[in-house]
């Protein structure tokens, strides 16, 4: 069955429906396909183009060059570490050469950093690489990932495929007359000029290098705000690579196959494809449905032939039928170039966001917008929004501000002013309209603190039982030597001992609604860092008591309070001895 289908594919499917039936028949058989032969890929220069074309939102990356139509076997591929004995075809086809596999995974990781909402799977790159070049001719690359010999498609001279005149002076494809698809991912030179990448850090953007080409393919597939986890977006991405529904089906078959499992094989030992596509006209096919299954191709009418409905004849011949009104050609909407397309939003080295209540944050939030090529993109509006209950606002008292990126792609939010409530809040940065990109920053407001609190005088505090203390208690809190304004202070009457607790007797601040004395209060310093305690009352128990004051920040001070009865007034002695009165001696 499988061999029969491959022969049909080598000849070229008669139409889309027949190709779909072939794929369905292969899938329905549930039997292993015959082992693929290991013949040469023909130098990567098959002489045929894909049969079908479908409209896409980008120019085709490959110029709709030929591709390999071999389908994956139906056996489950070996998974990493597996020792199951599967048919040779399954084990061979599931193997991806080491450098090629590393390049696909590196591209996935890089794009996940710069454009995480695209959700590019490396298995999609592997599927396209398989169809375009047989994984760089079975992994025939050098130690740097560059193909040992060029992989070139046929000249795109309009003979069975696109007509694309030379755009690179033959620099990439050695053809100064027409362009050719180049390298393991088969980019035409004009597309490479816009999307080329330097992924291996050698200072060159080389379409013949699998690392450069894989990253370029990943960014190209993610263009136009695509989310490749969505079937419709994935279909559009694949069709933008080669506008053929047969190509889409083939790539999706390999994509599903690689998702079930692969394993690494040495470079140069990968399986080679055997069935290049062949040209069969340019009949357009419909855009695929969101499920990824293309619809039925409409029957085309013959170009240039119109059969008007005859009307009454004019005297002397001719027809009275009105001439058909020509349909105006709509003006195409220009497609933004990759350098103009918003690609990703990333953090631009914003540090930790922390501030004390009522003060300004030292750090300002900065983001960077990049285009679809990964370069900084200017004039992108970025909206920053504060969410939370700390009272924090941007300078000017706003919770939401919009800032456009500059020439370096960076937008910096205004200064944040912390509110008076301690706690955590978030700031979101949003850019893009078709599929917005969002970054979220966590921020913290800490309470005002003091590292020292002392009494402003040393006067003894004494009261009689049942009376109030006449002298007020005033304290001052500081932080690093400066007055600590607005600092929370807890005042508690405590017991003696190593582990003091709130006292249940002695002085108190006031009585609650039930007439119970309150011996703990939450207070705060004023703008000068001063704290004047409210009135303090003594109960009927005499003694010496302690008042503990603790600030936010851990500073403490203990104040002594004495309760004692008034001293008795001194009294005079009861018995008094009067001195004898002196008399003058008698005269002689």
């Amino acid at each position: 069955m499988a061999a029969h289908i491959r022969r049909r594919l080598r000849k070229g499917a008669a139409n889309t429906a027949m190709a779909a039936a072939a794929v369905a028949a292969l899938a329905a058989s549930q039997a292993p396909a015959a082992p693929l032969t290991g013949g040469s890929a023909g130098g990567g220069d098959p002489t045929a183009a894909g049969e079908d074309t479908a409209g896409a939102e980008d120019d085709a990356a490959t110029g709709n060059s030929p591709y390999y139509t071999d389908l994956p076997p139906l056996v489950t591929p070996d998974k990493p570490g597996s020792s199951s004995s599967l048919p040779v075809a399954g084990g061979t086809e599931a193997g991806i050469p080491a450098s090629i596999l590393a390049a696909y995974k590196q591209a996935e990781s890089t794009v996940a950093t710069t454009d995480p909402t695209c959700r590019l799977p490396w298995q999609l790159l592997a599927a396209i690489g398989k169809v375009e070049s047989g994984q760089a001719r079975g992994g025939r690359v050098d130690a740097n990932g560059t193909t040992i010999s060029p992989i070139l498609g046929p000249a795109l001279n309009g003979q069975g495929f696109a007509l694309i005149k030379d755009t690179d002076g033959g620099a990439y494809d050695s053809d100064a007359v027409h362009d050719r698809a180049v390298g393991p991912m088969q980019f035409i030179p004009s597309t490479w000029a816009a999307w080329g990448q330097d992924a291996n850090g050698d200072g060159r953007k080389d379409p013949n290098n699998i690392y450069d080409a894989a990253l370029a393919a990943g960014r190209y597939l993610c263009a136009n705000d695509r989310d490749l986890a969505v079937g419709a977006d994935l279909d559009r991405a694949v069709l933008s690579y080669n506008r053929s529904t047969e190509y889409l089906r083939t790539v999706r078959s390999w994509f599903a196959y690689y998702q079930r499992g692969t394993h690494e094989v040495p470079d140069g030992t990968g399986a080679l494809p055997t069935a290049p596509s062949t040209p069969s006209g340019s009949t357009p096919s419909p855009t695929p449905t969101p499920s990824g299954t293309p619809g039925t191709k409409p029957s085309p009418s013959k170009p240039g032939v119109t059969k008007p409905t005859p009307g009454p004849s004019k005297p002397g011949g001719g027809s009275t039928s009105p001439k058909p009104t020509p349909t105006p050609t709509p003006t195409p909407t220009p497609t933004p170039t990759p350098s103009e397309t918003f690609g990703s939003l990333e953090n631009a080295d914003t540090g930790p966001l922390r501030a004390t209540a009522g003060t300004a944050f030292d750090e300002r939030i900065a983001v960077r917008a990049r285009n679809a090529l990964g370069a900084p993109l200017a004039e992108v509006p970025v909206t920053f929004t504060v969410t939370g209950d700390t009272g924090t606002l941007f300078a000017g008292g706003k919770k939401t501000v919009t800032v456009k990126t500059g020439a370096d792609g960076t937008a910096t939010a205004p200064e944040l002013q912390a509110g008076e409530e301690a706690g955590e809040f978030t700031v979101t940065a949003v850019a893009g309209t078709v599929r917005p990109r969002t970054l979220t920053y966590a921020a913290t407001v800490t309470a005002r603190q003091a590292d020292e609190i002392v009494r402003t005088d040393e006067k003894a505090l004494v009261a009689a039982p049942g009376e109030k203390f006449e002298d007020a208690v005033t304290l001052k809190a500081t932080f690093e030597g400066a007055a600590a304004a607005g600092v929370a202070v807890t005042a508690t009457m405590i017991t003696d001992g190593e582990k003091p607790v709130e006292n249940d007797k002695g002085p108190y601040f006031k009585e609650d609604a039930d007439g119970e004395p309150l011996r703990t209060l939450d207070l705060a310093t004023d703008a000068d860092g001063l704290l004047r305690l409210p009135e303090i009352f003594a109960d009927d128990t005499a003694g010496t008591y302690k008042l503990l004051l603790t600030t936010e920040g851990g500073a403490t001070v203990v104040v002594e309070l004495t309760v004692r009865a008034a001293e008795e007034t001194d009294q005079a002695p009861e018995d008094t001895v009067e001195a004898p009165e002196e008399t003058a001696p008698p005269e002689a």
Side-chain angles (χ1 to χ4, degrees):
M1 171 76 73
H4 172 67
I5 290 174
R6 280 197 288 272
R7 285 197 298 273
R8 291 180 64 97
L9 290 173
R10 280 196 292 270
K11 295 177 181 178
N15 53 48
T16 304
M18 185 178 294
V23 175
L26 178 59
S29 70
Q30 294 298 307
L36 298 179
T37 59
S40 169
D45 296 334
T47 58
E51 170 198 4
D52 299 327
T53 60
E57 54 199 277
D58 304 293
D59 293 331
T62 65
N64 295 324
S65 294
Y67 55 90
Y68 292 103
T69 60
D70 290 17
L71 294 173
L74 293 180
V75 296
T76 300
D78 283 321
K79 295 184 178 180
S82 171
S83 60
S84 58
S85 55
L86 297 174
V88 176
T92 301
E93 290 296 348
I96 299 179
S99 293
I100 314 304
L101 182 60
Y104 296 150
K105 291 185 175 181
Q106 177 178 300
E108 177 192 61
S109 176
T110 300
V111 172
T113 300
T114 60
D115 188 6
T117 55
C118 173
R119 296 192 281 184
L120 170 72
W122 66 261
Q123 292 92 341
L124 179 59
L125 296 175
I128 290 175
K130 176 70 175 179
V131 173
E132 291 294 345
S133 68
Q135 311 297 20
R137 294 180 185 157
R140 294 184 64 235
V141 296
D142 62 19
N144 295 320
T146 302
T147 57
I148 294 174
S149 58
I151 300 177
L152 298 173
L156 299 176
N157 55 15
Q159 303 299 312
F161 28 78
L163 171 61
I164 303 178
K165 295 185 178 181
D166 177 66
T167 61
D168 66 330
Y172 291 122
D173 56 11
S174 302
D175 189 333
V177 179
H178 297 97
D179 272 348
R180 296 168 179 254
V182 181
M185 302 304 281
Q186 289 289 279
F187 278 96
I188 56 175
S190 58
T191 305
W192 184 259
W195 293 90
Q197 303 290 311
D198 176 19
N200 65 348
D202 65 356
R204 299 179 59 224
K205 297 179 181 180
D206 185 0
N208 297 297
N209 181 275
I210 185 58
Y211 292 96
D212 293 357
L215 180 57
R219 294 199 189 285
Y220 183 90
L221 293 167
C222 288
N224 296 309
D225 292 330
R226 297 189 187 105
D227 180 354
L228 299 182
V230 176
D233 275 7
L234 188 144
D235 288 347
R236 280 190 287 269
V238 174
L239 286 169
S240 75
Y241 216 88
N242 189 314
R243 290 185 282 180
S244 161
T245 51
E246 175 63 25
Y247 177 85
L248 172 64
R249 282 192 291 273
T250 306
V251 168
R252 268 196 168 273
S253 295
W254 283 106
F255 177 48
Y257 181 74
Y258 287 138
Q259 283 184 311
R260 291 194 295 270
T262 61
H263 60 268
E264 180 184 296
V265 298
D267 288 346
T269 65
L272 294 175
T274 60
S277 59
T278 54
S280 58
S282 57
T283 304
S285 63
T287 301
T289 63
S291 65
T293 304
T296 305
K297 183 190 297 183
S299 300
S301 58
K302 294 182 180 180
V305 178
T306 304
K307 295 182 180 181
T309 302
S313 299
K314 292 182 181 179
S319 172
T320 61
S321 298
K323 294 181 179 180
T325 302
T327 302
T329 302
T331 302
T333 302
T335 301
T337 65
S339 62
E340 299 171 338
T341 303
F342 175 51
S344 63
L345 188 69
E346 62 188 41
N347 179 26
D349 301 322
T350 304
L353 297 170
R354 291 190 292 266
T356 301
T359 66
F361 281 74
D362 292 334
E363 193 76 16
R364 292 172 63 182
I365 297 173
V367 300
R368 182 174 293 108
R370 295 188 181 276
N371 63 20
L373 300 176
L377 184 62
E379 295 299 313
V380 175
V382 181
T383 299
F384 299 91
T385 302
V386 175
T387 304
D389 299 323
T390 65
T392 301
L393 298 170
F394 288 112
K398 297 180 179 179
K399 295 191 71 171
T400 300
V401 294
T402 299
V403 181
K404 285 188 176 181
T405 58
D408 62 350
T410 300
T412 302
E415 182 181 70
L416 282 167
Q417 184 71 31
E420 291 297 336
E421 293 294 325
E424 296 182 348
F425 68 96
T426 59
V427 179
T428 55
V430 181
T433 54
V434 177
R435 184 161 57 88
R437 311 299 206 277
T438 301
L439 293 177
T440 301
Y441 295 83
T444 303
V445 176
T446 58
R448 299 171 186 261
Q449 297 184 353
D451 54 18
E452 185 176 20
I453 184 169
V454 297
R455 283 190 64 189
T456 58
D457 63 66
E458 296 297 330
K459 189 173 182 180
L461 301 170
V462 181
E467 301 295 331
K468 72 176 180 179
F469 290 79
E470 295 296 337
D471 295 310
V473 181
T474 303
L475 305 103
K476 183 169 185 177
T478 57
F479 182 73
E480 296 181 351
V487 174
V489 180
T490 300
T492 305
M493 304 295 178
I494 60 171
T495 60
D496 286 320
E498 293 182 1
K499 296 181 180 180
V501 295
E502 182 182 275
N503 210 333
D504 59 358
K505 60 184 178 180
Y508 61 95
F509 293 105
K510 59 182 179 180
E511 294 181 349
D512 63 16
D514 297 325
E516 295 295 326
L518 293 176
R519 293 186 169 91
T520 297
L521 285 182
D522 291 325
L523 308 166
T525 61
D526 64 14
D528 298 319
L530 295 175
L531 174 63
R532 184 183 177 90
L533 296 184
E535 292 181 328
I536 301 175
F537 300 88
D539 65 4
D540 295 332
T541 307
T544 300
Y545 299 92
K546 293 179 180 179
L547 168 60
L548 173 66
L549 295 109
T550 304
T551 71
E552 185 73 39
T556 62
V557 65
V558 174
V559 177
E560 284 194 354
L561 302 169
T562 302
V563 179
R564 67 172 179 233
E567 296 180 355
E568 294 182 357
T569 305
D570 293 336
Q571 297 181 357
E574 294 181 359
D575 298 328
T576 303
V577 178
E578 296 182 0
E581 183 179 340
E582 293 184 359
T583 61
E587 294 181 355

